[in-house]
Amino acid sequence: MIHKLHELPFSFDALEPYIDAKTMEIHYQKHHGGYVTKLNAALEAYPQFQNKSVEELLTDMSMLPETIRTAVRNNGGGHLNHSIFWSILKKNRGSGPEHDLSDAMNRSFGGFEQFKNAFFKTAMGRFGSGWAWLVIDDDERLAVLSTPNQDTPLSEGKRILLGLDVWEHAYYLNYQNRRNDYVDAWWNVVDWQSVAGRYDQLK
Ligand code: MN3
């Protein structure tokens, strides 16, 4: 096993009532765990790629043999996307972005509320499975975008500040078909200090 499912940085019930413990348990162990297992399986016959980080694999997928490119894209993407997702989750008790990140949000969107509106529309507009993202774009501005499946903005050269998983597996137990309620509730568990840390590192 080259790639590992790292320990979840919080307990399964830490995000309740916004994200329930059962969803967290299945999401982390079965879904994220499954991506890691399948990524390792794809790389098994290709030792020359086993020492590369998941970020390196996804940044330049053209270097990969075609036989494993789709498997790495889907499962490597799944591994990276979920690792980032867990790292930016924490009950925030109503806090929001501060300092440099807040300034950047004002410059790029006109304010935090405008950002949230744009992000909500993007998350709701993703047909089927995928993600909504806040990234630093090529022009150094913040941007909101969506990717299908487990595609990651890293593969398009974007720097990821935060992502929201809008696959049904992320919310169906508690919210059923109500993705809008899930997205609304999710604002309560964005760890803005963690997002600010990513911004400081990546800007
Ligand atoms: Mn997921």
Side-chain angles (χ1 to χ4, degrees):
M1 295 288 276
I2 305 303
H3 297 278
K4 291 195 167 62
L5 180 62
H6 296 291
E7 201 175 323
L8 193 67
F10 48 82
S11 62
F12 293 138
D13 65 357
L15 307 176
E16 289 208 351
Y18 309 109
I19 300 177
D20 64 284
K22 194 72 194 166
T23 295
M24 272 309 311
E25 183 180 351
I26 296 170
H27 198 174
Y28 167 73
Q29 288 182 338
K30 305 296 183 193
H31 292 276
H32 188 177
Y35 297 125
V36 175
T37 303
K38 287 179 193 158
L39 174 63
N40 284 323
L43 295 172
E44 204 168 1
Y46 299 91
Q48 68 271 39
F49 295 110
Q50 290 174 358
N51 63 345
K52 296 205 179 294
S53 69
V54 70
E55 288 88 350
E56 287 171 322
L57 292 171
L58 293 165
T59 297
D60 183 12
M61 285 187 284
S62 66
M63 69 180 170
L64 297 166
E66 261 184 68
T67 45
I68 60 167
R69 206 174 289 162
T70 301
V72 170
R73 177 179 180 165
N74 289 338
N75 297 294
H79 181 28
L80 177 72
N81 292 343
H82 287 85
S83 297
I84 294 171
F85 189 44
W86 310 139
S87 80
I88 55 97
L89 294 179
K90 188 182 185 180
K91 273 195 219 174
N92 62 32
R93 299 175 205 293
S95 74
E98 296 177 346
H99 311 300
D100 287 358
L101 179 58
S102 172
D103 293 344
M105 222 167 249
N106 291 339
R107 280 198 303 276
S108 302
F109 302 108
F112 182 43
E113 285 307 313
Q114 287 89 332
F115 155 70
K116 281 171 70 176
N117 288 336
F119 193 89
F120 181 86
K121 279 191 194 133
T122 299
M124 292 305 295
R126 165 52 52 200
F127 181 76
S129 299
W131 291 76
W133 302 98
L134 172 66
V135 302
I136 308 176
D137 224 330
D138 305 334
D139 58 4
E140 303 302 320
R141 291 172 72 86
L142 304 189
V144 164
L145 59 89
S146 173
T147 58
N149 306 312
Q150 293 297 351
D151 289 357
T152 184
L154 184 75
S155 301
E156 296 160 31
K158 317 280 189 204
R159 289 160 280 171
I160 299 169
L161 296 184
L162 72 81
L164 172 59
D165 189 342
V166 294
W167 283 56
E168 282 188 345
H169 69 225
Y171 61 87
Y172 203 85
L173 284 183
N174 196 29
Y175 294 97
Q176 292 82 48
N177 61 322
R178 302 186 312 278
R179 185 188 286 183
N180 57 321
D181 288 344
Y182 161 69
V183 178
D184 279 340
W186 178 74
W187 294 116
N188 292 288
V189 294
V190 178
D191 181 355
W192 288 108
Q193 284 194 328
S194 171
V195 178
R198 295 185 67 84
Y199 181 65
D200 287 342
Q201 219 173 34
L202 295 170
K203 72 183 176 187

